[in-house]
Amino acid sequence: MDAHTAATRYLGPTGLDPIMNRILNLVPKLGISVAGSRLLAVRGRKTGEWRTTLVNLLTTPDGTRYLVAPRGHTQWVRNLRVAGTGELRLGRKSETFTAVELADADKIPVLRAYLERWGWEVGKFFEGVTKDATDAELAEIAPGFPVFALA
């Protein structure tokens, strides 16, 4: 994957994905977290309106929290880059955060941890790369997978 392709990589929903996404977005609204899921809310970069999507919140053993975009440079990624802040929602609870995007070289351990936790769910977006990939393989795909550290 060349640098330009990686910087614009986006895998949009196909087949039943849009319907399933709508259904699954209801789960955190009801206050139910499935394997760490949350509803991410970010202000739109053009409209300023809240936009929401289901995300997997990764918390590492040291307590650092990350959002990984397995589909690539999605609208929520673009909005978060501009806004710099957002909310994680679960039921009636809402937590405001600031986000810092990681450099590609810093993504390797986060991508591995993400794949260890949710590879069963998001593996299809990683096109054959698994938690057992070498650091070099993860470094090669890193530009196509935005990662944000939350504070």
Side-chain angles (χ1 to χ4, degrees):
M1 182 180 311
D2 65 39
H4 176 71
T5 303
T8 59
R9 178 187 169 278
Y10 170 64
L11 303 176
T14 59
L16 292 176
D17 287 348
I19 294 166
M20 291 304 295
N21 287 345
R22 286 190 189 132
I23 293 168
L24 292 174
N25 279 342
L26 292 175
V27 175
K29 287 180 182 179
L30 297 172
I32 302 167
S33 174
V34 178
S37 63
R38 297 288 188 280
L39 195 64
L40 169 67
V42 180
R43 296 262 184 201
R45 62 193 181 282
K46 296 176 184 174
T47 66
E49 295 178 20
W50 285 105
R51 303 293 183 198
T52 60
T53 191
L54 185 68
V55 294
N56 291 321
L57 177 64
L58 175 67
T59 304
T60 58
D62 69 359
T64 306
R65 299 176 316 147
Y66 298 95
L67 292 178
V68 176
R71 289 181 177 267
H73 299 269
T74 62
Q75 294 301 319
W76 75 257
V77 167
R78 294 172 185 170
N79 289 338
L80 189 54
R81 283 177 178 145
V82 171
T85 65
E87 293 180 0
L88 292 173
R89 299 176 180 172
L90 186 61
R92 295 179 185 200
K93 297 177 185 175
S94 179
E95 174 192 355
T96 302
F97 66 85
T98 56
V100 176
E101 190 165 5
L102 270 60
D104 291 338
D106 298 330
K107 295 178 186 177
I108 295 167
V110 178
L111 291 174
R112 186 177 314 283
Y114 190 82
L115 285 165
E116 284 174 0
R117 178 79 193 255
W118 289 290
W120 58 273
E121 177 187 350
V122 299
K124 65 184 178 182
F125 304 124
F126 282 81
E127 301 160 343
V129 176
T130 69
K131 65 181 172 67
D132 299 319
T134 65
D135 285 355
E137 290 169 323
L138 289 171
E140 185 177 333
I141 68 162
F145 295 85
V147 176
F148 295 87
L150 306 184

